[in-house]
């Protein structure tokens, strides 16, 4: 058993334990393996261990990796999620090559993704990134601006608004972690009450996975706990 396979099993066990603690079904939480800075070989290793959903932050790296993985394993249908910041000049390749986008925070970006999504592909799944902790350095729409953005994105063709994403301010206290995730869940519930058909809360990473699952995460984004420490040099 490879290190990545062992790590994947440990993360899956952690998700299952947290889900059972929250009286939820473990299969209701999707594990998104964040493979940024790791090569196609790491993705293929995880794929062979049963992982099917992968998250990428850096567009050119991701495009090269998607092509390499597809060439090496054309029989495997993987789901690729873009989870990095989106510049206007990068929307076309994102619209063409990804299945999900978690980091939409402006109507302009959503409109470009809508216009550039190829007609032959399924609708692009969209999560709106919310700056839940109000950090000046963090991306995301404010909670006050969220309803208008959500309803605008929901009206766009070739997109399917699925839910919300957040990266709260790092906390080591589980109660504080849970508070931020509970705030995101409350915003999600408000939008559903307003008539939007949402089903996704993308929240929680390696360090706060348990708190996120306890507060209703349906996708957790885990990188280092699966692939190891990253080298950004």
């Amino acid at each position: 058993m490879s290190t990545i396979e062992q790590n994947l099993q440990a993360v899956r066990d952690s998700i299952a334990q947290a889900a059972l603690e929250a009286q939820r079904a473990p299969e209701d939480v999707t594990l998104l393996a964040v493979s940024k800075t790791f090569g196609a070989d790491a993705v293929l290793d995880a794929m062979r261990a049963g992982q099917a959903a992968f998250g990428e932050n850096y567009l050119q790296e991701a495009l090269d990796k998607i092509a390499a993985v597809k060439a090496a394993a054309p029989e495997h249908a993987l789901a690729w999620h873009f989870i990095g910041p989106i510049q206007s000049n990068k929307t076309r390749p994102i619209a063409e090559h990804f299945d999900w986008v978690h980091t939409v925070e402006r109507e302009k970006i959503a409109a470009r993704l809508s216009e550039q999504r190829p007609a032959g592909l399924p609708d692009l799944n969209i999560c709106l990134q919310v700056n839940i902790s109000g950090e000046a350095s963090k991306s995301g729409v404010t909670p006050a601006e969220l309803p208008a953005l959500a309803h605008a994105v929901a009206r766009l063709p070739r997109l399917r608004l699925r839910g919300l994403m957040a990266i709260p301010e790092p906390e080591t206290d589980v109660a504080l972690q849970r508070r931020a995730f509970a705030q995101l869940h409350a915003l999600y519930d408000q939008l559903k009450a307003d008539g939007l058909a949402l089903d996704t809360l993308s929240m929680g990473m390696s360090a706060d996975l348990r708190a996120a699952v306890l507060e209703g995460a349906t996708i957790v984004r885990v990188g280092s706990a699966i692939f190891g420490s990253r080298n950004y040099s």
Side-chain angles (χ1 to χ4, degrees), residues 2 14 24 35 61 69 80 85 97-98 103 108 112 119 123-124 126 132-133 139 161 172 177 181 194 217 224:
S2 71
S14 296
R24 303 176 59 200
S35 44
E61 175 197 331
V69 169
W80 293 94
H97 294 279
F98 285 84
T103 45
K108 175 185 175 182
R112 288 177 66 88
D123 289 350
L124 183 60
I126 299 293
I132 201 69
S133 301
S139 299
L161 180 61
T172 56
Q177 293 173 352
F181 294 138
D194 287 343
S224 58

mmCIF file with all atom_site columns, all heavy atoms in Angstrom, residues 2 14 24 35 61 69 80 85 97-98 103 108 112 119 123-124 126 132-133 139 161 172 177 181 194 217 224:
data_model
loop_
_atom_site.group_PDB
_atom_site.id
_atom_site.type_symbol
_atom_site.label_atom_id
_atom_site.label_alt_id
_atom_site.label_comp_id
_atom_site.label_asym_id
_atom_site.label_entity_id
_atom_site.label_seq_id
_atom_site.pdbx_PDB_ins_code
_atom_site.Cartn_x
_atom_site.Cartn_y
_atom_site.Cartn_z
_atom_site.occupancy
_atom_site.B_iso_or_equiv
_atom_site.pdbx_formal_charge
_atom_site.auth_seq_id
_atom_site.auth_comp_id
_atom_site.auth_asym_id
_atom_site.auth_atom_id
_atom_site.pdbx_PDB_model_num
ATOM 1   N N   . SER A 1 2   ? 0.641   2.167  -0.936  1.00 0.00 ? 2   SER A N   1
ATOM 2   C CA  . SER A 1 2   ? 1.451   3.381  -1.033  1.00 0.00 ? 2   SER A CA  1
ATOM 3   C C   . SER A 1 2   ? 1.125   4.333  0.119   1.00 0.00 ? 2   SER A C   1
ATOM 4   O O   . SER A 1 2   ? 0.096   4.212  0.786   1.00 0.00 ? 2   SER A O   1
ATOM 5   C CB  . SER A 1 2   ? 1.182   4.082  -2.363  1.00 0.00 ? 2   SER A CB  1
ATOM 6   O OG  . SER A 1 2   ? -0.113  4.662  -2.365  1.00 0.00 ? 2   SER A OG  1
ATOM 7   N N   . SER A 1 14  ? -11.352 9.559  9.112   1.00 0.00 ? 14  SER A N   1
ATOM 8   C CA  . SER A 1 14  ? -11.650 10.763 9.889   1.00 0.00 ? 14  SER A CA  1
ATOM 9   C C   . SER A 1 14  ? -12.991 11.366 9.483   1.00 0.00 ? 14  SER A C   1
ATOM 10  O O   . SER A 1 14  ? -13.775 11.815 10.334  1.00 0.00 ? 14  SER A O   1
ATOM 11  C CB  . SER A 1 14  ? -10.537 11.804 9.698   1.00 0.00 ? 14  SER A CB  1
ATOM 12  O OG  . SER A 1 14  ? -9.311  11.335 10.216  1.00 0.00 ? 14  SER A OG  1
ATOM 13  N N   . ARG A 1 24  ? -24.667 11.818 10.667  1.00 0.00 ? 24  ARG A N   1
ATOM 14  C CA  . ARG A 1 24  ? -24.783 11.937 9.220   1.00 0.00 ? 24  ARG A CA  1
ATOM 15  C C   . ARG A 1 24  ? -24.222 10.686 8.568   1.00 0.00 ? 24  ARG A C   1
ATOM 16  O O   . ARG A 1 24  ? -23.412 9.974  9.164   1.00 0.00 ? 24  ARG A O   1
ATOM 17  C CB  . ARG A 1 24  ? -24.021 13.163 8.704   1.00 0.00 ? 24  ARG A CB  1
ATOM 18  C CG  . ARG A 1 24  ? -24.448 14.487 9.306   1.00 0.00 ? 24  ARG A CG  1
ATOM 19  C CD  . ARG A 1 24  ? -23.572 15.625 8.795   1.00 0.00 ? 24  ARG A CD  1
ATOM 20  N NE  . ARG A 1 24  ? -23.653 15.733 7.340   1.00 0.00 ? 24  ARG A NE  1
ATOM 21  C CZ  . ARG A 1 24  ? -22.742 16.350 6.592   1.00 0.00 ? 24  ARG A CZ  1
ATOM 22  N NH1 . ARG A 1 24  ? -21.660 16.882 7.162   1.00 0.00 ? 24  ARG A NH1 1
ATOM 23  N NH2 . ARG A 1 24  ? -22.882 16.421 5.284   1.00 0.00 ? 24  ARG A NH2 1
ATOM 24  N N   . SER A 1 35  ? -4.646  18.541 -5.144  1.00 0.00 ? 35  SER A N   1
ATOM 25  C CA  . SER A 1 35  ? -3.395  18.027 -5.710  1.00 0.00 ? 35  SER A CA  1
ATOM 26  C C   . SER A 1 35  ? -2.481  19.119 -6.236  1.00 0.00 ? 35  SER A C   1
ATOM 27  O O   . SER A 1 35  ? -1.496  18.822 -6.935  1.00 0.00 ? 35  SER A O   1
ATOM 28  C CB  . SER A 1 35  ? -3.721  17.027 -6.823  1.00 0.00 ? 35  SER A CB  1
ATOM 29  O OG  . SER A 1 35  ? -4.761  17.489 -7.670  1.00 0.00 ? 35  SER A OG  1
ATOM 30  N N   . GLU A 1 61  ? -0.672  24.778 -14.367 1.00 0.00 ? 61  GLU A N   1
ATOM 31  C CA  . GLU A 1 61  ? -0.283  23.497 -13.766 1.00 0.00 ? 61  GLU A CA  1
ATOM 32  C C   . GLU A 1 61  ? -1.423  22.495 -13.886 1.00 0.00 ? 61  GLU A C   1
ATOM 33  O O   . GLU A 1 61  ? -1.216  21.310 -14.225 1.00 0.00 ? 61  GLU A O   1
ATOM 34  C CB  . GLU A 1 61  ? 0.090   23.698 -12.307 1.00 0.00 ? 61  GLU A CB  1
ATOM 35  C CG  . GLU A 1 61  ? 0.395   22.400 -11.565 1.00 0.00 ? 61  GLU A CG  1
ATOM 36  C CD  . GLU A 1 61  ? 0.362   22.542 -10.050 1.00 0.00 ? 61  GLU A CD  1
ATOM 37  O OE1 . GLU A 1 61  ? 0.640   23.646 -9.543  1.00 0.00 ? 61  GLU A OE1 1
ATOM 38  O OE2 . GLU A 1 61  ? 0.041   21.547 -9.380  1.00 0.00 ? 61  GLU A OE2 1
ATOM 39  N N   . VAL A 1 69  ? -2.879  13.144 -16.974 1.00 0.00 ? 69  VAL A N   1
ATOM 40  C CA  . VAL A 1 69  ? -3.661  12.089 -16.333 1.00 0.00 ? 69  VAL A CA  1
ATOM 41  C C   . VAL A 1 69  ? -4.594  11.437 -17.353 1.00 0.00 ? 69  VAL A C   1
ATOM 42  O O   . VAL A 1 69  ? -4.745  10.207 -17.384 1.00 0.00 ? 69  VAL A O   1
ATOM 43  C CB  . VAL A 1 69  ? -4.447  12.657 -15.135 1.00 0.00 ? 69  VAL A CB  1
ATOM 44  C CG1 . VAL A 1 69  ? -5.463  11.650 -14.611 1.00 0.00 ? 69  VAL A CG1 1
ATOM 45  C CG2 . VAL A 1 69  ? -3.487  13.063 -14.022 1.00 0.00 ? 69  VAL A CG2 1
ATOM 46  N N   . TRP A 1 80  ? -12.725 17.273 -11.947 1.00 0.00 ? 80  TRP A N   1
ATOM 47  C CA  . TRP A 1 80  ? -11.720 18.297 -11.664 1.00 0.00 ? 80  TRP A CA  1
ATOM 48  C C   . TRP A 1 80  ? -12.415 19.555 -11.163 1.00 0.00 ? 80  TRP A C   1
ATOM 49  O O   . TRP A 1 80  ? -13.328 20.066 -11.805 1.00 0.00 ? 80  TRP A O   1
ATOM 50  C CB  . TRP A 1 80  ? -10.894 18.600 -12.913 1.00 0.00 ? 80  TRP A CB  1
ATOM 51  C CG  . TRP A 1 80  ? -10.034 17.446 -13.323 1.00 0.00 ? 80  TRP A CG  1
ATOM 52  C CD1 . TRP A 1 80  ? -10.330 16.465 -14.229 1.00 0.00 ? 80  TRP A CD1 1
ATOM 53  C CD2 . TRP A 1 80  ? -8.736  17.121 -12.802 1.00 0.00 ? 80  TRP A CD2 1
ATOM 54  N NE1 . TRP A 1 80  ? -9.299  15.564 -14.321 1.00 0.00 ? 80  TRP A NE1 1
ATOM 55  C CE2 . TRP A 1 80  ? -8.300  15.943 -13.454 1.00 0.00 ? 80  TRP A CE2 1
ATOM 56  C CE3 . TRP A 1 80  ? -7.891  17.703 -11.859 1.00 0.00 ? 80  TRP A CE3 1
ATOM 57  C CZ2 . TRP A 1 80  ? -7.066  15.342 -13.189 1.00 0.00 ? 80  TRP A CZ2 1
ATOM 58  C CZ3 . TRP A 1 80  ? -6.666  17.119 -11.596 1.00 0.00 ? 80  TRP A CZ3 1
ATOM 59  C CH2 . TRP A 1 80  ? -6.268  15.953 -12.255 1.00 0.00 ? 80  TRP A CH2 1
ATOM 60  N N   . PRO A 1 85  ? -8.001  31.420 -7.134  1.00 0.00 ? 85  PRO A N   1
ATOM 61  C CA  . PRO A 1 85  ? -8.547  32.706 -7.573  1.00 0.00 ? 85  PRO A CA  1
ATOM 62  C C   . PRO A 1 85  ? -8.697  32.740 -9.089  1.00 0.00 ? 85  PRO A C   1
ATOM 63  O O   . PRO A 1 85  ? -7.914  32.126 -9.813  1.00 0.00 ? 85  PRO A O   1
ATOM 64  C CB  . PRO A 1 85  ? -7.518  33.730 -7.078  1.00 0.00 ? 85  PRO A CB  1
ATOM 65  C CG  . PRO A 1 85  ? -6.259  32.945 -6.883  1.00 0.00 ? 85  PRO A CG  1
ATOM 66  C CD  . PRO A 1 85  ? -6.670  31.563 -6.508  1.00 0.00 ? 85  PRO A CD  1
ATOM 67  N N   . HIS A 1 97  ? -12.379 23.059 -19.176 1.00 0.00 ? 97  HIS A N   1
ATOM 68  C CA  . HIS A 1 97  ? -11.673 21.876 -18.685 1.00 0.00 ? 97  HIS A CA  1
ATOM 69  C C   . HIS A 1 97  ? -12.074 21.395 -17.295 1.00 0.00 ? 97  HIS A C   1
ATOM 70  O O   . HIS A 1 97  ? -11.635 20.319 -16.875 1.00 0.00 ? 97  HIS A O   1
ATOM 71  C CB  . HIS A 1 97  ? -10.161 22.126 -18.705 1.00 0.00 ? 97  HIS A CB  1
ATOM 72  C CG  . HIS A 1 97  ? -9.602  22.283 -20.088 1.00 0.00 ? 97  HIS A CG  1
ATOM 73  N ND1 . HIS A 1 97  ? -9.310  21.216 -20.897 1.00 0.00 ? 97  HIS A ND1 1
ATOM 74  C CD2 . HIS A 1 97  ? -9.307  23.394 -20.808 1.00 0.00 ? 97  HIS A CD2 1
ATOM 75  C CE1 . HIS A 1 97  ? -8.844  21.643 -22.055 1.00 0.00 ? 97  HIS A CE1 1
ATOM 76  N NE2 . HIS A 1 97  ? -8.836  22.966 -22.042 1.00 0.00 ? 97  HIS A NE2 1
ATOM 77  N N   . PHE A 1 98  ? -12.885 22.162 -16.584 1.00 0.00 ? 98  PHE A N   1
ATOM 78  C CA  . PHE A 1 98  ? -13.224 21.783 -15.217 1.00 0.00 ? 98  PHE A CA  1
ATOM 79  C C   . PHE A 1 98  ? -14.699 21.402 -15.110 1.00 0.00 ? 98  PHE A C   1
ATOM 80  O O   . PHE A 1 98  ? -15.534 21.802 -15.924 1.00 0.00 ? 98  PHE A O   1
ATOM 81  C CB  . PHE A 1 98  ? -12.893 22.914 -14.235 1.00 0.00 ? 98  PHE A CB  1
ATOM 82  C CG  . PHE A 1 98  ? -11.416 23.048 -13.978 1.00 0.00 ? 98  PHE A CG  1
ATOM 83  C CD1 . PHE A 1 98  ? -10.611 23.767 -14.844 1.00 0.00 ? 98  PHE A CD1 1
ATOM 84  C CD2 . PHE A 1 98  ? -10.832 22.419 -12.895 1.00 0.00 ? 98  PHE A CD2 1
ATOM 85  C CE1 . PHE A 1 98  ? -9.247  23.868 -14.625 1.00 0.00 ? 98  PHE A CE1 1
ATOM 86  C CE2 . PHE A 1 98  ? -9.469  22.513 -12.661 1.00 0.00 ? 98  PHE A CE2 1
ATOM 87  C CZ  . PHE A 1 98  ? -8.675  23.237 -13.533 1.00 0.00 ? 98  PHE A CZ  1
ATOM 88  N N   . THR A 1 103 ? -14.770 29.060 -6.523  1.00 0.00 ? 103 THR A N   1
ATOM 89  C CA  . THR A 1 103 ? -14.250 30.359 -6.092  1.00 0.00 ? 103 THR A CA  1
ATOM 90  C C   . THR A 1 103 ? -14.853 31.531 -6.851  1.00 0.00 ? 103 THR A C   1
ATOM 91  O O   . THR A 1 103 ? -14.197 32.542 -7.080  1.00 0.00 ? 103 THR A O   1
ATOM 92  C CB  . THR A 1 103 ? -12.720 30.363 -6.245  1.00 0.00 ? 103 THR A CB  1
ATOM 93  O OG1 . THR A 1 103 ? -12.359 29.801 -7.526  1.00 0.00 ? 103 THR A OG1 1
ATOM 94  C CG2 . THR A 1 103 ? -12.062 29.552 -5.160  1.00 0.00 ? 103 THR A CG2 1
ATOM 95  N N   . LYS A 1 108 ? -19.423 39.161 -12.852 1.00 0.00 ? 108 LYS A N   1
ATOM 96  C CA  . LYS A 1 108 ? -18.682 39.248 -14.120 1.00 0.00 ? 108 LYS A CA  1
ATOM 97  C C   . LYS A 1 108 ? -17.981 37.931 -14.432 1.00 0.00 ? 108 LYS A C   1
ATOM 98  O O   . LYS A 1 108 ? -18.008 37.454 -15.574 1.00 0.00 ? 108 LYS A O   1
ATOM 99  C CB  . LYS A 1 108 ? -17.661 40.387 -14.048 1.00 0.00 ? 108 LYS A CB  1
ATOM 100 C CG  . LYS A 1 108 ? -16.755 40.478 -15.275 1.00 0.00 ? 108 LYS A CG  1
ATOM 101 C CD  . LYS A 1 108 ? -15.685 41.534 -15.097 1.00 0.00 ? 108 LYS A CD  1
ATOM 102 C CE  . LYS A 1 108 ? -14.712 41.537 -16.268 1.00 0.00 ? 108 LYS A CE  1
ATOM 103 N NZ  . LYS A 1 108 ? -13.615 42.537 -16.086 1.00 0.00 ? 108 LYS A NZ  1
ATOM 104 N N   . ARG A 1 112 ? -18.803 35.270 -17.564 1.00 0.00 ? 112 ARG A N   1
ATOM 105 C CA  . ARG A 1 112 ? -17.802 34.802 -18.525 1.00 0.00 ? 112 ARG A CA  1
ATOM 106 C C   . ARG A 1 112 ? -17.750 33.265 -18.555 1.00 0.00 ? 112 ARG A C   1
ATOM 107 O O   . ARG A 1 112 ? -17.645 32.663 -19.633 1.00 0.00 ? 112 ARG A O   1
ATOM 108 C CB  . ARG A 1 112 ? -16.426 35.376 -18.181 1.00 0.00 ? 112 ARG A CB  1
ATOM 109 C CG  . ARG A 1 112 ? -16.304 36.868 -18.469 1.00 0.00 ? 112 ARG A CG  1
ATOM 110 C CD  . ARG A 1 112 ? -14.947 37.412 -18.047 1.00 0.00 ? 112 ARG A CD  1
ATOM 111 N NE  . ARG A 1 112 ? -13.870 36.846 -18.843 1.00 0.00 ? 112 ARG A NE  1
ATOM 112 C CZ  . ARG A 1 112 ? -13.426 37.347 -20.002 1.00 0.00 ? 112 ARG A CZ  1
ATOM 113 N NH1 . ARG A 1 112 ? -13.999 38.438 -20.503 1.00 0.00 ? 112 ARG A NH1 1
ATOM 114 N NH2 . ARG A 1 112 ? -12.424 36.792 -20.643 1.00 0.00 ? 112 ARG A NH2 1
ATOM 115 N N   . ALA A 1 119 ? -21.045 24.131 -25.266 1.00 0.00 ? 119 ALA A N   1
ATOM 116 C CA  . ALA A 1 119 ? -22.423 23.642 -25.271 1.00 0.00 ? 119 ALA A CA  1
ATOM 117 C C   . ALA A 1 119 ? -22.499 22.129 -25.138 1.00 0.00 ? 119 ALA A C   1
ATOM 118 O O   . ALA A 1 119 ? -23.490 21.597 -24.644 1.00 0.00 ? 119 ALA A O   1
ATOM 119 C CB  . ALA A 1 119 ? -23.118 24.097 -26.544 1.00 0.00 ? 119 ALA A CB  1
ATOM 120 N N   . ASP A 1 123 ? -23.630 21.294 -17.599 1.00 0.00 ? 123 ASP A N   1
ATOM 121 C CA  . ASP A 1 123 ? -23.526 22.588 -16.925 1.00 0.00 ? 123 ASP A CA  1
ATOM 122 C C   . ASP A 1 123 ? -22.362 22.577 -15.937 1.00 0.00 ? 123 ASP A C   1
ATOM 123 O O   . ASP A 1 123 ? -22.090 21.564 -15.282 1.00 0.00 ? 123 ASP A O   1
ATOM 124 C CB  . ASP A 1 123 ? -24.816 22.906 -16.173 1.00 0.00 ? 123 ASP A CB  1
ATOM 125 C CG  . ASP A 1 123 ? -25.968 23.228 -17.115 1.00 0.00 ? 123 ASP A CG  1
ATOM 126 O OD1 . ASP A 1 123 ? -25.734 23.387 -18.328 1.00 0.00 ? 123 ASP A OD1 1
ATOM 127 O OD2 . ASP A 1 123 ? -27.115 23.319 -16.623 1.00 0.00 ? 123 ASP A OD2 1
ATOM 128 N N   . LEU A 1 124 ? -21.676 23.707 -15.832 1.00 0.00 ? 124 LEU A N   1
ATOM 129 C CA  . LEU A 1 124 ? -20.543 23.845 -14.918 1.00 0.00 ? 124 LEU A CA  1
ATOM 130 C C   . LEU A 1 124 ? -21.071 24.070 -13.503 1.00 0.00 ? 124 LEU A C   1
ATOM 131 O O   . LEU A 1 124 ? -21.860 24.986 -13.258 1.00 0.00 ? 124 LEU A O   1
ATOM 132 C CB  . LEU A 1 124 ? -19.683 25.029 -15.357 1.00 0.00 ? 124 LEU A CB  1
ATOM 133 C CG  . LEU A 1 124 ? -18.412 25.317 -14.584 1.00 0.00 ? 124 LEU A CG  1
ATOM 134 C CD1 . LEU A 1 124 ? -17.441 24.138 -14.636 1.00 0.00 ? 124 LEU A CD1 1
ATOM 135 C CD2 . LEU A 1 124 ? -17.734 26.581 -15.145 1.00 0.00 ? 124 LEU A CD2 1
ATOM 136 N N   . ILE A 1 126 ? -21.111 25.357 -9.833  1.00 0.00 ? 126 ILE A N   1
ATOM 137 C CA  . ILE A 1 126 ? -20.565 26.583 -9.250  1.00 0.00 ? 126 ILE A CA  1
ATOM 138 C C   . ILE A 1 126 ? -20.835 26.645 -7.748  1.00 0.00 ? 126 ILE A C   1
ATOM 139 O O   . ILE A 1 126 ? -21.958 26.407 -7.301  1.00 0.00 ? 126 ILE A O   1
ATOM 140 C CB  . ILE A 1 126 ? -21.202 27.824 -9.914  1.00 0.00 ? 126 ILE A CB  1
ATOM 141 C CG1 . ILE A 1 126 ? -20.911 27.859 -11.413 1.00 0.00 ? 126 ILE A CG1 1
ATOM 142 C CG2 . ILE A 1 126 ? -20.728 29.117 -9.225  1.00 0.00 ? 126 ILE A CG2 1
ATOM 143 C CD1 . ILE A 1 126 ? -19.469 28.065 -11.779 1.00 0.00 ? 126 ILE A CD1 1
ATOM 144 N N   . ILE A 1 132 ? -16.238 34.626 4.992   1.00 0.00 ? 132 ILE A N   1
ATOM 145 C CA  . ILE A 1 132 ? -17.044 34.460 6.199   1.00 0.00 ? 132 ILE A CA  1
ATOM 146 C C   . ILE A 1 132 ? -16.418 35.107 7.417   1.00 0.00 ? 132 ILE A C   1
ATOM 147 O O   . ILE A 1 132 ? -17.109 35.516 8.363   1.00 0.00 ? 132 ILE A O   1
ATOM 148 C CB  . ILE A 1 132 ? -17.325 32.949 6.454   1.00 0.00 ? 132 ILE A CB  1
ATOM 149 C CG1 . ILE A 1 132 ? -18.540 32.768 7.365   1.00 0.00 ? 132 ILE A CG1 1
ATOM 150 C CG2 . ILE A 1 132 ? -16.108 32.228 6.990   1.00 0.00 ? 132 ILE A CG2 1
ATOM 151 C CD1 . ILE A 1 132 ? -19.842 33.151 6.714   1.00 0.00 ? 132 ILE A CD1 1
ATOM 152 N N   . SER A 1 133 ? -15.076 35.241 7.429   1.00 0.00 ? 133 SER A N   1
ATOM 153 C CA  . SER A 1 133 ? -14.393 35.826 8.584   1.00 0.00 ? 133 SER A CA  1
ATOM 154 C C   . SER A 1 133 ? -14.137 37.318 8.418   1.00 0.00 ? 133 SER A C   1
ATOM 155 O O   . SER A 1 133 ? -13.605 37.959 9.331   1.00 0.00 ? 133 SER A O   1
ATOM 156 C CB  . SER A 1 133 ? -13.065 35.095 8.839   1.00 0.00 ? 133 SER A CB  1
ATOM 157 O OG  . SER A 1 133 ? -13.274 33.730 9.088   1.00 0.00 ? 133 SER A OG  1
ATOM 158 N N   . SER A 1 139 ? -10.259 36.400 -0.295  1.00 0.00 ? 139 SER A N   1
ATOM 159 C CA  . SER A 1 139 ? -11.226 36.558 -1.371  1.00 0.00 ? 139 SER A CA  1
ATOM 160 C C   . SER A 1 139 ? -12.609 36.162 -0.867  1.00 0.00 ? 139 SER A C   1
ATOM 161 O O   . SER A 1 139 ? -12.762 35.546 0.174   1.00 0.00 ? 139 SER A O   1
ATOM 162 C CB  . SER A 1 139 ? -10.829 35.675 -2.547  1.00 0.00 ? 139 SER A CB  1
ATOM 163 O OG  . SER A 1 139 ? -9.562  36.043 -3.051  1.00 0.00 ? 139 SER A OG  1
ATOM 164 N N   . LEU A 1 161 ? -25.700 26.513 -10.104 1.00 0.00 ? 161 LEU A N   1
ATOM 165 C CA  . LEU A 1 161 ? -25.301 26.977 -8.776  1.00 0.00 ? 161 LEU A CA  1
ATOM 166 C C   . LEU A 1 161 ? -25.566 25.872 -7.767  1.00 0.00 ? 161 LEU A C   1
ATOM 167 O O   . LEU A 1 161 ? -26.705 25.482 -7.545  1.00 0.00 ? 161 LEU A O   1
ATOM 168 C CB  . LEU A 1 161 ? -26.065 28.246 -8.403  1.00 0.00 ? 161 LEU A CB  1
ATOM 169 C CG  . LEU A 1 161 ? -25.722 28.829 -7.027  1.00 0.00 ? 161 LEU A CG  1
ATOM 170 C CD1 . LEU A 1 161 ? -24.259 29.225 -6.945  1.00 0.00 ? 161 LEU A CD1 1
ATOM 171 C CD2 . LEU A 1 161 ? -26.621 30.023 -6.712  1.00 0.00 ? 161 LEU A CD2 1
ATOM 172 N N   . THR A 1 172 ? -7.297  27.128 15.927  1.00 0.00 ? 172 THR A N   1
ATOM 173 C CA  . THR A 1 172 ? -6.984  25.810 16.475  1.00 0.00 ? 172 THR A CA  1
ATOM 174 C C   . THR A 1 172 ? -8.086  25.313 17.404  1.00 0.00 ? 172 THR A C   1
ATOM 175 O O   . THR A 1 172 ? -8.197  24.112 17.644  1.00 0.00 ? 172 THR A O   1
ATOM 176 C CB  . THR A 1 172 ? -5.656  25.847 17.254  1.00 0.00 ? 172 THR A CB  1
ATOM 177 O OG1 . THR A 1 172 ? -5.733  26.856 18.268  1.00 0.00 ? 172 THR A OG1 1
ATOM 178 C CG2 . THR A 1 172 ? -4.497  26.162 16.316  1.00 0.00 ? 172 THR A CG2 1
ATOM 179 N N   . GLN A 1 177 ? -13.692 27.084 15.151  1.00 0.00 ? 177 GLN A N   1
ATOM 180 C CA  . GLN A 1 177 ? -13.811 26.536 13.803  1.00 0.00 ? 177 GLN A CA  1
ATOM 181 C C   . GLN A 1 177 ? -15.280 26.281 13.469  1.00 0.00 ? 177 GLN A C   1
ATOM 182 O O   . GLN A 1 177 ? -15.764 26.651 12.396  1.00 0.00 ? 177 GLN A O   1
ATOM 183 C CB  . GLN A 1 177 ? -13.014 25.236 13.685  1.00 0.00 ? 177 GLN A CB  1
ATOM 184 C CG  . GLN A 1 177 ? -11.511 25.386 13.791  1.00 0.00 ? 177 GLN A CG  1
ATOM 185 C CD  . GLN A 1 177 ? -10.808 24.035 13.838  1.00 0.00 ? 177 GLN A CD  1
ATOM 186 O OE1 . GLN A 1 177 ? -11.444 22.990 13.944  1.00 0.00 ? 177 GLN A OE1 1
ATOM 187 N NE2 . GLN A 1 177 ? -9.484  24.045 13.763  1.00 0.00 ? 177 GLN A NE2 1
ATOM 188 N N   . PHE A 1 181 ? -18.035 27.833 10.406  1.00 0.00 ? 181 PHE A N   1
ATOM 189 C CA  . PHE A 1 181 ? -18.747 26.946 9.488   1.00 0.00 ? 181 PHE A CA  1
ATOM 190 C C   . PHE A 1 181 ? -20.260 27.016 9.700   1.00 0.00 ? 181 PHE A C   1
ATOM 191 O O   . PHE A 1 181 ? -21.034 26.918 8.745   1.00 0.00 ? 181 PHE A O   1
ATOM 192 C CB  . PHE A 1 181 ? -18.245 25.507 9.651   1.00 0.00 ? 181 PHE A CB  1
ATOM 193 C CG  . PHE A 1 181 ? -16.811 25.310 9.233   1.00 0.00 ? 181 PHE A CG  1
ATOM 194 C CD1 . PHE A 1 181 ? -15.952 24.534 9.994   1.00 0.00 ? 181 PHE A CD1 1
ATOM 195 C CD2 . PHE A 1 181 ? -16.323 25.902 8.078   1.00 0.00 ? 181 PHE A CD2 1
ATOM 196 C CE1 . PHE A 1 181 ? -14.641 24.346 9.610   1.00 0.00 ? 181 PHE A CE1 1
ATOM 197 C CE2 . PHE A 1 181 ? -15.012 25.724 7.680   1.00 0.00 ? 181 PHE A CE2 1
ATOM 198 C CZ  . PHE A 1 181 ? -14.160 24.936 8.445   1.00 0.00 ? 181 PHE A CZ  1
ATOM 199 N N   . ASP A 1 194 ? -34.952 31.078 0.284   1.00 0.00 ? 194 ASP A N   1
ATOM 200 C CA  . ASP A 1 194 ? -35.318 32.054 -0.745  1.00 0.00 ? 194 ASP A CA  1
ATOM 201 C C   . ASP A 1 194 ? -35.608 31.400 -2.087  1.00 0.00 ? 194 ASP A C   1
ATOM 202 O O   . ASP A 1 194 ? -35.842 32.094 -3.083  1.00 0.00 ? 194 ASP A O   1
ATOM 203 C CB  . ASP A 1 194 ? -34.186 33.079 -0.930  1.00 0.00 ? 194 ASP A CB  1
ATOM 204 C CG  . ASP A 1 194 ? -34.097 34.066 0.226   1.00 0.00 ? 194 ASP A CG  1
ATOM 205 O OD1 . ASP A 1 194 ? -35.077 34.167 0.985   1.00 0.00 ? 194 ASP A OD1 1
ATOM 206 O OD2 . ASP A 1 194 ? -33.044 34.722 0.367   1.00 0.00 ? 194 ASP A OD2 1
ATOM 207 N N   . ALA A 1 217 ? -20.644 20.155 6.269   1.00 0.00 ? 217 ALA A N   1
ATOM 208 C CA  . ALA A 1 217 ? -19.907 20.151 5.001   1.00 0.00 ? 217 ALA A CA  1
ATOM 209 C C   . ALA A 1 217 ? -20.326 18.974 4.136   1.00 0.00 ? 217 ALA A C   1
ATOM 210 O O   . ALA A 1 217 ? -20.494 17.854 4.621   1.00 0.00 ? 217 ALA A O   1
ATOM 211 C CB  . ALA A 1 217 ? -18.404 20.081 5.267   1.00 0.00 ? 217 ALA A CB  1
ATOM 212 N N   . SER A 1 224 ? -2.644  18.363 2.116   1.00 0.00 ? 224 SER A N   1
ATOM 213 C CA  . SER A 1 224 ? -1.412  17.912 2.775   1.00 0.00 ? 224 SER A CA  1
ATOM 214 C C   . SER A 1 224 ? -1.601  16.602 3.524   1.00 0.00 ? 224 SER A C   1
ATOM 215 O O   . SER A 1 224 ? -0.679  15.776 3.579   1.00 0.00 ? 224 SER A O   1
ATOM 216 C CB  . SER A 1 224 ? -0.889  19.000 3.717   1.00 0.00 ? 224 SER A CB  1
ATOM 217 O OG  . SER A 1 224 ? -1.862  19.346 4.688   1.00 0.00 ? 224 SER A OG  1
#
